[in-house]
Amino acid sequence: MTAQLVASELANLIQESKRKNNDLRQAAEKSLEELKSLKVTSEAQISAELSQRSNFVNPFIIACGTKNVKFTGIAIVCLQRLIASRALPRFKLSQVLEALQQATSAGLDVQLKILQALPSLLSNYAAEVKGELLVTALNICFILQSSKNAIVNNASAATLQQLVVSVFDKVVAEDGAGGDVEYVGEAPSQQGPVPVQAAAMDAYRYLRFSGMPQTFGLELIESVLTNHAAIFTTHPEQADILRTRVMPFIISALRGKPNFATSVRLVRILFTLLRRHLTILPSESGDALDILTQLLDQDTALWKRSLCMEVFRGIFADHALLRRVFMLYDAKEGEKNILKNLTAAFVRVSTEKPTVIGLGLQSTLPVANPYANAVASTDQAMLEASGVTGIISGSVSSDGHNTGISTHWSTMRSPCIDQLDKTDPPSIPESYVYSLTLACITSLSEGLAKFILPLTVPTEGRRKKSVKPEGGRDSPALTADERPSTPSEGLKNRERSASSKRNPLPVNPLTLETHPLYPEIKVCAAFIDECWPAILATCSTFLYSALDSEYYHGLVRAFQKFAHVAGLLQLTTPRDAFLTTLGKAAVPPNVFTACLNSNSSRRDTPLSATSETGSSLFSNARGLLTTESASAQAAEKQRQQSMDITPATLNTRNLLCLRALLNLGIALGPTLSSTWRILLETLQQADFVLFTSGKAAGRTPLATRGPDQQAEQEANVLLSNFNTEIRAVETAASRLFESTADFPNSAFVEIVEAVCALLVKHVETTSETTGQAQLSPPPGPLRTPTFTHKRVLSITTSPGAGANQEDQFALAKLGDLASINMERLLSYPPEVSGWTPLITELIDTLSSSTNTPPVRARAAETLVRILLEAAGSIATQQEDVRGPIQIRILEAFHNSLSSLRVEGREVSLSNHATDMDIHRIVLEGLKGLLENCGESLVQGWDTIFAIIDTIFVKEDLPKDSSSTTTPRLMTRSVKLIRPSFASLQLICSDFLPSLPNLCFLNLVDTLYKFCTQDDDLNVALTTVTFFWAISDFLSSNSKSMSLTQDMVNDSGDEALLKLAADPSHQDSGGALWMLLLLRLTSVATDQRLELRNSAVQTLLRIISAYGDSLSPEAWLICIRSVILRLLASIEDELRAVHTSPAKARDQEGWTDTANVIIRGVSGLFSSYLQVLLGHEDFATTWQQLLGHFARMLDVQILDINASVYSAVREILRSCAEHVQPRLGKGSLDLTWDLWSRGIPVPEDGKDDKSADNQKCLLVWVEALLELYGLIKDDFGVERIRRMLTLLRDAMQHATPGAYASDTEYVTPLQGRILQVFCTVQTDVPRVPSAMITQIAEFVSLAFAQENPDKAASEKRTFVAMSKESMSILQSLVIKHAAETDIYETGAFAAALAALAKPIILKYKFKIVTKSSQPWREATKTVLAVLKATLPHIRAIDKARSTVQEIWQIIVSIANGIISADCSIAPSGTDIMDDQKFDISSFHKLRELIIPALGAEVILDKTRKVYAEGLFRTSIIHAPAPAEALIIYGSEDHHHDNTTNGNPNGNGSDAVVDLDLLYKQRRGRTIDPPPTHRSAMAEVCLDELFALVAIHEEEDESPPSKPTSTSSPTQEPIGTTSSSSSSSPPDKTTIHGSTHPLYVHLALTAAPYLILRCALSIRSYVADQPLRGCMPQPLSQRKELYRILRGLVDLRSEPDAIPDTPNVDSETKKHLLRLYPLLVSMVKVAGTSGDNRVLGMVGEALDVVGGELGCK
């Protein structure tokens, strides 16, 4: 490819030079021939062949010399190609370079080709191009570099740089080449001329070139210095050039006023020299640094200061370089203080423009220029609109400016030192210099930390693992990644290592004298010691400036790392200074002062509120603060109206500084010594501010008020991260105190004393001089602050919320220290471990009356928590280890209360309340100790009881009291009872086996104290139950409870106390048990109801539980000493409250107690009656017991009566369950006397109707049942009658149940009374009649009520009992039906009368039951009773009046069965079913009483009542008013079931004459409806026919017919002779004939039958003509058919109806009496065409005709 290109170009050259240059043509032709003569084809062979032909390049050299554009262009192309392919002869290089130099004046293309060829030339012919040849090549570049064409200029510069670099590359290669060294000359140096080799000589010559453009030359120098820095170190001649030419030039240039482009290159070279050649240029570098410092401090050009600061930023970023600078200058005496002056310049720079950085009282957020965007956008738009191009947009000046340092406007995208393409300075932010200052400070701190921190790790740690500067105690620095953006991120990796091996104490690097880096360590220490004031001042300035989050975090990290390094190097002054400044930034003094003032204005706030808030803030024992109250403050935060921070709140940046301070404490803890006060006071003040502000999030303020959305957004982000930062601070504070576990004892005691010093020491007055001395500022702005002014503020403030909160903090931290170092506190002696100062301080604080109540309470809580943790930590130790420590712990408890009980202590109201609160806290702590460690206690039980008893004091007796008066035991406060009692409760429930034997008496004594105190009833009640627990424990440890009479003699409890105190005595357990019973007996008489009831129950339960183990003698002792004494005391109290109006209000309470005692006695006697009966004195005991019961009954209290009889019932029941032995007859008689005293209802009636006496009467009856079962063989009729009388009275006096009705079911009392009647034996004479009489009365109770509806509403109806009594009555009567006594005494009549009441009432009885109605049950009972008794009634020979009374009742029952007033029947009544039942019952009754009803002994009046009842019930349709007047004597259709006839039965007013019926009445068109019980009416009508019908007997002759002369139209029906009214007709029958009975019945019923038939016929005759051809209503027609058919078929009793005058008739007299009506009926039926009626009437008339002899 090269040969073809060269051949083509040679041909072109020949063609162009034919006429213009003959030499050139000839040379070209020769070269072309040589090229064509080559026989090789490969590129490498052609290049090699051409390089051997010396004349081949001649045409190209000649062409360049002609300066012809075409010739030169062709020649340069060929030369460039030949150079690239190594085809040039080496001896022609000089001529070629000269040709290239001559061609530099050609056009652009030629110049560019030359520049392309030079690098290849230097590369391919490196060995040949040196010396003059190199100079020529460089000159070519220099010539082209001066071109005005930018492309050539830039290309030549690049080529020149490449050539220069290659020159120095040769030097490097030359130095690295082995073999003999060939020197080509000498060069000057600081030590004199030195020989140099060829490449070195070339390099030396290069640096001496002059005449090139300044900027370009500077760039070449920088390039060489950057790429070949080692050459200047190893070659003295090169270093000499730097020393003699480069550095002087740079220094002089900087002192002048170079432009921006030159200054940038000068500064870059200077920075390179400082970084890489500081050691070979010490003096010059010092001058340069000094000049840079002066420029920074004095020059007004912003771009120059920026360049200087960029250099310093690079220097500070290289900490090794920084150390070398300090070693070369500041550390050497007589040298310049470069770094000291520089840091001082930083101070001046940072403070020169406060408005630019937004310097203020606290850190703020930077705010952008509000006008910048508007102005810039407007101007830019105008320029673009005008068509102006090439405008470089930048910041447009305006009246406003950016305030503060922010990454948005305080940085440059490209630093000034890197802007080599600019000739004019760029737009530089005004705050750019300050951001560079911050970068220097940050780099400085990081460099110090990276160098020093690894050296502080102990040797063992370095051997085992690599150094990790960011781990453990060695790296408390807050990195950018560590900033908590989320809670989880902010809290991770915060666990503290409790092992000293993992977290060792840091080593002071200054002690490592044998370390190879020891000199540099000393340099670091010297640097800090010299420069820390300036660094602190600079950092402090920026700490209160307007910085964005990134700059602020970097500044805080720098603070933290610098303080950390100072602390590790044991440089206390700078360390304390930085800690102090950081503390002030964490809690600004103005914020703290504002909080103090706000609390001073709120001193009147109640302390209780303060206490509560304080408690909530410190509920987390391991943290500084908690976020538990943050939610409670949410509403308050929502109410914040201002967008700026208020002076009394902390913001997120304050918390960031606080966290940095805490991290320093973690890292430097063991070395801080007295400096702990700085950290702790800052932490305390931060806690106080947060407490005062309620943890309200403070908003980070803006530097200025301007519409900067970015600043607002950043402020909002910081505000949202407040809670996260709070948690991070809490974690750091927790880690700070947890790290104390690794401290040695001396260091731990120091921090304990420092925390104790935080407690406010209240004094009466403070001298003015002292206050002034404390408040005076430190003499000098950079000295270590003393921090004492903060404590003075706390001390001079009155004890309000401020001091309260500070003390709360100190106490919380004391508790944390103790918890974390508990193992230390218990493993070493108290004085060495810190136990003594810690516990003493807490006790002094809680007992000091000058402290506020919340502080004292918190001290008590802290003390208790420490003691509980201490007790828990030793629970698993050996007993010999536990014992002394437990005594120490319990003594601390006791000592904390001793100071509160000192006589003469102030007893003001507030102090007393606080003392009680502290007392309560300590007692609760004792409870906690027992809960957690009670099972491990081996010593100190006596101290525990002493602590429990501290709540009791003896009452102060009046001065005039007698000497024998015993002071009453009182409690110090009600609030102390429960906390103290809780410990006692634990002992009794869980730790009785752990108690020494001697402590049981103390336990019983303490229990009695709690029982008898009057302040807390619930505690007293609970204490009573512990007697049971102790009793159970004693019984389980004792095999038997032996009691003797000697123990309970009259001398008191001395014998019991003596035995109980001697555990070795065999009766010790029994004595202690009896002592328990006596104590409980004393409590049982307490005036408090619940307490005495509980004591009684517990007492009886104890006795009952161990009754099986008691001997009869022991039982006797218990009954006499406990039970009977208890009953006697209760009787006295009951009589007192019953007779004294003043004590009447206590009656209910003492009644309850009496009931409890009686029930308990009942249970004891019932359970252990067999044992008691075996004692010979039981009868006396029983008599005494009944005597007590009788006296209680005399009080006449319903509940007590019920309890007494319930007790009797249970005891008797228990006696009945055992065959032997049983109560004797005398004891049973005493029991009967007690029962038969009367019904147990108060005589004064005050409880009647107002209290439910059902229960009392029920148990009274149940006691009778049990008693009757035991004495039924001796239960005579007199006792029966007494019993019945009392039972009847009990039934009547019983009140309705609260939630029960006796309509459907009997009440329990009624059931038990009826059970008595079923139980009593009736085989005793005269007993059945008495029983029947009483049962009959019970049956009638439900129907004897004046107003049953009212009775039902009062739930006292007796309906269910009445129904139950009917069945009992039935069984009794049937069982004793053959006994005449029940009839002669009227018992049977009473029974029938009682049963008749519900039957007669029927629907009039308004109470409806869900089951069978009472009248139905009564009907059934009556039928059963009559069936069994009627045969016996006929046999009664005596007392006709009794029999007559019985039959009167039977007839009333019969009338009651057939009658019913359906108009008043209750809704839902099934009348048809009731009618069916009544019909069936009537048929059964008729079978029983017919014909017995016709007996002579029965009054005619009774039979007439029966007949009249049948007559009235048989009326189906209501009669017309006229008929009603005839029948009833009035127009009222309603009638009752009583007879209208007189008792003598003479018929004068029984039935009216038929003459009135023969008269036709007016007809009516209204047809009355039939009765609801039509079937019953028909049955009664049939019964009338049956009664009148003749009853013939086989052995009886036909009866003779009495003659009569009376006219049938004049003699009324029913009017008989005088003899017929009371005796049968003259005809007599044989003995035993029933015919006379039927005759009596027919005689009575005949008038009613004829009247009944006449009513229906007369109605037909009157009403039917009005109907015309319309038929009669069906019901009337059926009735008429039945009557006509009955009249025709009836063969009436001849003697029942009087004879019709002049007519001889036997059995059809009834038709003769109705003949006129029948005749009228024929007329009507014929007229209306009623053929059936006409036929039936005709049939009747035929019968009449036959009787008249007209057949």
Side-chain angles (χ1 to χ4, degrees), residues 1650-1662:
I1650 294 173
L1651 179 59
R1652 175 67 184 85
C1653 295
L1655 287 175
S1656 297
I1657 296 173
R1658 187 170 183 260
S1659 176
Y1660 179 81
V1661 171

Side-chain angles (χ1 to χ4, degrees), residues 634-886:
E636 183 67 24
K637 290 191 289 186
Q638 295 296 329
R639 290 195 292 268
Q640 292 178 351
Q641 300 296 328
S642 175
M643 296 301 293
D644 294 330
I645 188 172
T646 59
T649 58
L650 297 180
N651 56 41
T652 307
R653 291 190 168 180
N654 299 136
L655 296 179
L656 180 68
C657 294
L658 180 59
R659 181 152 59 99
L661 188 67
L662 294 175
N663 287 336
L664 287 172
I666 295 172
L668 304 175
T671 65
L672 290 179
S673 186
S674 61
T675 311
W676 273 110
R677 59 190 175 84
I678 300 176
L679 276 76
L680 295 176
E681 287 178 3
T682 303
L683 199 57
Q684 183 185 42
Q685 292 173 3
D687 174 77
F688 173 72
V689 173
L690 290 174
F691 163 78
T692 305
S693 62
K695 282 192 177 180
R699 187 179 181 86
T700 305
L702 305 183
T704 61
R705 295 184 179 273
D708 189 352
Q709 297 297 327
Q710 184 70 29
E712 293 289 348
Q713 182 179 0
E714 186 173 1
N716 293 333
V717 171
L718 290 175
L719 188 64
S720 64
N721 289 336
F722 184 80
N723 288 334
T724 303
E725 194 64 39
I726 282 282
R727 288 189 288 272
V729 169
E730 291 172 355
T731 303
S734 176
R735 292 179 57 203
L736 172 64
F737 287 95
E738 288 174 357
S739 64
T740 60
D742 302 325
F743 289 8
N745 286 336
S746 58
F748 175 71
V749 173
E750 288 176 351
I751 189 173
V752 168
E753 293 175 348
V755 175
C756 292
L758 295 178
L759 291 169
V760 178
K761 308 300 180 182
H762 297 288
V763 294
E764 297 297 331
T765 58
T766 305
S767 63
E768 296 181 359
T769 57
T770 304
Q772 293 175 357
Q774 291 174 333
L775 289 171
S776 60
L782 299 178
R783 289 191 58 187
T784 305
T786 61
F787 237 54
T788 55
H789 66 284
K790 295 185 178 181
R791 298 304 304 153
V792 171
L793 288 174
S794 298
I795 296 174
T796 56
T797 302
S798 64
N804 172 53
Q805 183 62 17
E806 291 178 345
D807 289 343
Q808 292 270 15
F809 171 84
L811 293 173
K813 297 306 115 181
L814 280 178
D816 293 346
L817 286 174
S819 299
I820 296 168
N821 295 271
M822 188 57 67
E823 182 178 357
R824 179 206 311 274
L825 294 174
L826 301 179
S827 301
Y828 296 93
E831 297 78 10
V832 176
S833 65
W835 173 277
T836 298
L838 194 149
I839 299 300
T840 302
E841 183 67 29
L842 289 175
I843 293 177
D844 291 344
T845 303
L846 68 88
S847 61
S848 175
S849 59
T850 58
N851 287 324
T852 60
V855 170
R856 297 180 60 194
R858 187 55 183 269
E861 293 171 357
T862 305
L863 175 65
V864 168
R865 179 164 63 87
I866 293 172
L867 296 179
L868 290 181
E869 290 185 15
S873 62
I874 61 168
T876 59
Q877 300 293 330
Q878 298 294 330
E879 291 188 2
D880 56 343
V881 177
R882 289 203 310 265
I885 298 178
Q886 287 172 352

Side-chain angles (χ1 to χ4, degrees), residues 1169-1175 1214-1216 1218-1224:
L1169 188 61
Q1170 288 295 97
V1171 180
L1172 295 172
L1173 287 172
H1175 198 277
S1214 176
C1215 182
H1218 300 87
V1219 179
Q1220 291 296 334
R1222 288 198 173 190
L1223 287 172

Side-chain angles (χ1 to χ4, degrees), residues 1330-1370:
M1331 297 280 289
I1332 291 173
T1333 302
Q1334 188 57 58
I1335 287 294
E1337 184 177 354
F1338 288 166
V1339 171
S1340 62
L1341 276 178
F1343 314 102
Q1345 305 282 343
E1346 295 180 0
N1347 189 348
D1349 293 338
K1350 182 178 179 181
S1353 65
E1354 293 179 353
K1355 302 179 181 179
R1356 181 174 167 176
T1357 64
F1358 302 107
V1359 173
M1361 191 204 70
S1362 177
K1363 292 165 65 176
E1364 294 290 336
S1365 300
M1366 291 176 188
S1367 61
I1368 298 175
L1369 182 62
Q1370 176 182 336

Side-chain angles (χ1 to χ4, degrees), residues 570-588:
Q570 297 293 320
L571 303 175
T572 58
T573 301
R575 176 197 66 189
D576 293 352
F578 273 83
L579 292 177
T580 301
T581 305
L582 201 56
K584 288 183 179 181
V587 185

Side-chain angles (χ1 to χ4, degrees), residues 1317-1475:
F1317 283 87
C1318 297
T1319 305
V1320 172
Q1321 297 178 353
T1322 56
D1323 53 355
V1324 180
R1326 295 179 295 173
V1327 169
S1329 59
M1331 297 280 289
I1332 291 173
T1333 302
Q1334 188 57 58
I1335 287 294
E1337 184 177 354
F1338 288 166
V1339 171
S1340 62
L1341 276 178
F1343 314 102
Q1345 305 282 343
E1346 295 180 0
N1347 189 348
D1349 293 338
K1350 182 178 179 181
S1353 65
E1354 293 179 353
K1355 302 179 181 179
R1356 181 174 167 176
T1357 64
F1358 302 107
V1359 173
M1361 191 204 70
S1362 177
K1363 292 165 65 176
E1364 294 290 336
S1365 300
M1366 291 176 188
S1367 61
I1368 298 175
L1369 182 62
Q1370 176 182 336
S1371 62
L1372 281 175
V1373 172
I1374 293 175
K1375 181 179 180 181
H1376 301 282
E1379 298 181 12
T1380 58
D1381 182 64
I1382 66 173
Y1383 306 105
E1384 293 175 354
T1385 57
F1388 181 71
L1392 289 181
L1395 294 172
K1397 288 182 179 180
I1399 297 174
I1400 294 172
L1401 289 174
K1402 198 165 290 183
Y1403 294 148
K1404 294 180 181 178
F1405 188 67
K1406 297 300 183 180
I1407 301 176
V1408 180
T1409 62
K1410 296 179 182 179
S1411 58
S1412 177
Q1413 302 303 315
W1415 62 268
R1416 283 199 176 202
E1417 295 297 325
T1419 302
K1420 296 175 183 178
T1421 303
V1422 162
L1423 294 176
V1425 167
L1426 291 179
K1427 183 178 181 180
T1429 57
L1430 281 179
H1432 300 285
I1433 293 175
R1434 298 190 188 103
I1436 299 175
D1437 295 334
K1438 303 177 182 179
R1440 290 174 60 91
S1441 60
T1442 301
V1443 176
Q1444 292 173 354
E1445 181 184 1
I1446 292 173
W1447 277 104
Q1448 286 179 355
I1449 299 171
I1450 293 174
V1451 168
S1452 65
I1453 292 173
N1455 286 338
I1457 291 174
I1458 62 177
S1459 62
D1461 189 355
C1462 297
S1463 63
I1464 62 173
S1467 60
T1469 302
D1470 191 349
I1471 296 178
M1472 293 297 102
D1473 184 69
D1474 291 346
Q1475 176 183 248

Side-chain angles (χ1 to χ4, degrees), residues 962-1005:
S962 61
S963 59
T964 59
T965 304
T966 302
R968 188 168 61 95
L969 197 65
M970 301 174 60
T971 57
R972 290 173 57 86
S973 175
V974 177
K975 295 192 298 183
L976 302 180
I977 297 176
R978 287 187 177 273
S980 178
F981 178 71
S983 300
L984 183 65
Q985 192 173 11
L986 283 173
I987 294 173
C988 294
S989 59
D990 298 337
F991 305 122
L992 288 179
S994 303
L995 284 181
N997 291 331
L998 294 178
C999 291
F1000 275 97
L1001 282 178
N1002 294 335
L1003 176 59
V1004 173
D1005 183 62

